[in-house]
Structure formats: C-alpha cells, structure tokens
Amino acid sequence: MKTIGLLGGMSWESTAVYYRRINENIRDRFGGLHSAEVLMRSVNFDTIVALQQSNAWDQAGAILARLAKDLEQAGADCIVICTNTMHKLADMVQERISIPLLHITDVTGQALKAAGVRTPLLLATRYTMEQDFYLAQLRDKHRLSPMVPDAEDRTTVHDIIFSELCCGVVRNESRQRYLDVVARAHAAGADSVILGCTEIGLLIGPNDLNLPTFDSTLLHADAAVAFALDEPRTRHAA
C-alpha cells in the first residue's frame, strides 16, 4: 500500500471527512483492523484565509508547497490538497515535488463525464465560483459546461461555508437556502450539482437533491485510496 500525503486544515472539519472516508475504504476492502498509510500536515486555517482575503496567493502557495515537500521527504507517495479552493495553487505545489498531486478537479470532472452529465452547477467558495482556475479545467480538459449561481446566490453559498460549515455549524435553514439555489439553477438548465467545496457535504448531499450530485471531497478521498492500492478510479461518490 502506498502512503497518502494529506495537506489539511482548510478547514479541519472537511479534513476529518477525508481521513474517515479513506480509512473506511481500506477497511471495506480488507476488513478487520486494516487502515490506510497516511501522513498529514494540517495548517492554521485562519492564516490561509487571511492570505486569501488579501489576495496573497503566492504566499499561500509557498506555504502549501513547503508542506507538500515535507510530506514527500517524510515518505508520502502522493499529495492530496484537502480543499477545492487551494487547487488554484496546485501547479505551484506540483512544481516543488516529484510525487504526483491528485487534482480534485480532474477527479470530479472524470466522474461527471462517466455519469453522462454535461451542465453541472458548481457550488463552492466565491474564489472557486468566480475565478477561472476550476471552471476552466472543467471546460477545457473535461469538455463540460459548468454553471455557477447568480451573484446574490454566490454570496449566500460562500458566507454559509465560512461562517457556518468551516466552524462546524450545520443549520436546517442554511440547507434550505442551498436547496433553493440549486432549484433556481435547475430551472436555468443545470443537469447536475458539484459540491465543489469540501465542507458542503456536511450540509447537503444526494438524498437532499433531485439531480445527480458529485461530492468532490468523497471523490477526492476515493481517488487517493485508488492511487494507494494501484486501482482504477471508477467510483462515483454521489
């Protein structure tokens, strides 16, 4: 079994989901007391958020690249950045290491294509919905036509992520607000939903929605297990 290197803490609420999902997968495959070979570096998310808000992405990238190198030197065979937004810096991180970085957009795009959908609604942080690093990857590499909510709904989605979900707060009224956002996008032509922030699965999932739903956190964790076991990445984490 190969060793998975996790760059976590952004936020730790979703990093805990990664850790549980990875180890549940290994236990499901091998039974008993089997668990994954994992190395983790977890950052102070407050520091990263401050860099995001001040548009100091190069500084944030330097932090992640240094920690990824630490994981490689400690014996990790791959790197998993446990957040969608910070994949804005994935190329910078990959340049500093010689082991593969498993890109969350690739994993998600492959699952969408395999399911035969084309026009997903992307729910994510404002950075991921409004900057082009994620959407362009879905369009150019995976030939999808992603949608994002309108400006007011983007604010709603973003604010609930940072003020509630990243703090471990899950509110029924916020779940309904997300469902309303999805309903408006469905009426505008969305044929599926990407949970494109690693915390969103704490609030909504496929049981809440009438559209095919792709949880990027679960897909990414499953891809890490597939890498560790040299298995094809075919699982659809709806």
Side-chain angles (χ1 to χ4, degrees), residues 188-222:
D191 64 4
S192 53
V193 179
I194 299 173
L195 307 185
C197 172
T198 51
E199 286 81 21
I200 292 178
L202 302 171
L203 185 65
I204 62 171
N207 292 334
D208 301 300
L209 300 170
N210 294 323
L211 291 173
T213 304
F214 299 82
D215 188 328
S216 62
T217 305
L218 304 185
L219 289 164
H220 206 199
D222 291 351

Side-chain angles (χ1 to χ4, degrees), residues 104-114 134 138 142 144 194 219:
I104 198 167
T105 314
D106 282 341
V107 170
T108 303
Q110 289 161 8
L112 287 154
K113 287 181 68 176
Y134 201 100
L138 293 175
H142 300 286
L144 299 169
I194 299 173
L219 289 164

Side-chain angles (χ1 to χ4, degrees), residues 101-138:
L101 185 153
L102 306 185
H103 202 295
I104 198 167
T105 314
D106 282 341
V107 170
T108 303
Q110 289 161 8
L112 287 154
K113 287 181 68 176
V117 298
R118 179 168 178 78
T119 313
L121 170 69
L122 176 63
L123 298 177
T125 66
R126 183 185 302 282
Y127 311 111
T128 306
M129 291 186 290
E130 295 184 354
Q131 299 179 26
D132 208 37
F133 65 94
Y134 201 100
L135 293 166
Q137 189 95 334
L138 293 175

Side-chain angles (χ1 to χ4, degrees), residues 28-62:
D28 289 347
R29 283 165 169 76
F30 299 106
L33 299 178
H34 286 281
S35 56
E37 297 279 355
V38 174
L39 293 169
M40 184 189 298
R41 288 298 306 265
S42 187
V43 303
N44 180 354
F45 193 34
D46 186 75
T47 299
I48 299 298
V49 170
L51 293 172
Q52 291 175 343
Q53 292 174 342
S54 61
N55 203 34
W57 292 99
D58 285 348
Q59 288 179 248

Side-chain angles (χ1 to χ4, degrees), residues 15 43 63 99 104 110 123 165 169 174 182 190 224 238:
T15 304
V43 303
I63 292 171
I99 57 176
I104 198 167
Q110 289 161 8
L123 298 177
L165 300 180
V169 177
S174 295
V182 172

Side-chain angles (χ1 to χ4, degrees), residues 156 160 164-165 169-181 184 203-204:
T156 295
I160 288 171
E164 298 177 20
L165 300 180
V169 177
V170 179
R171 295 192 170 111
N172 286 331
E173 55 267 36
S174 295
R175 180 178 295 109
Q176 186 56 56
R177 293 176 75 186
Y178 266 50
L179 296 180
D180 292 343
V181 171
R184 284 189 283 274
L203 185 65
I204 62 171

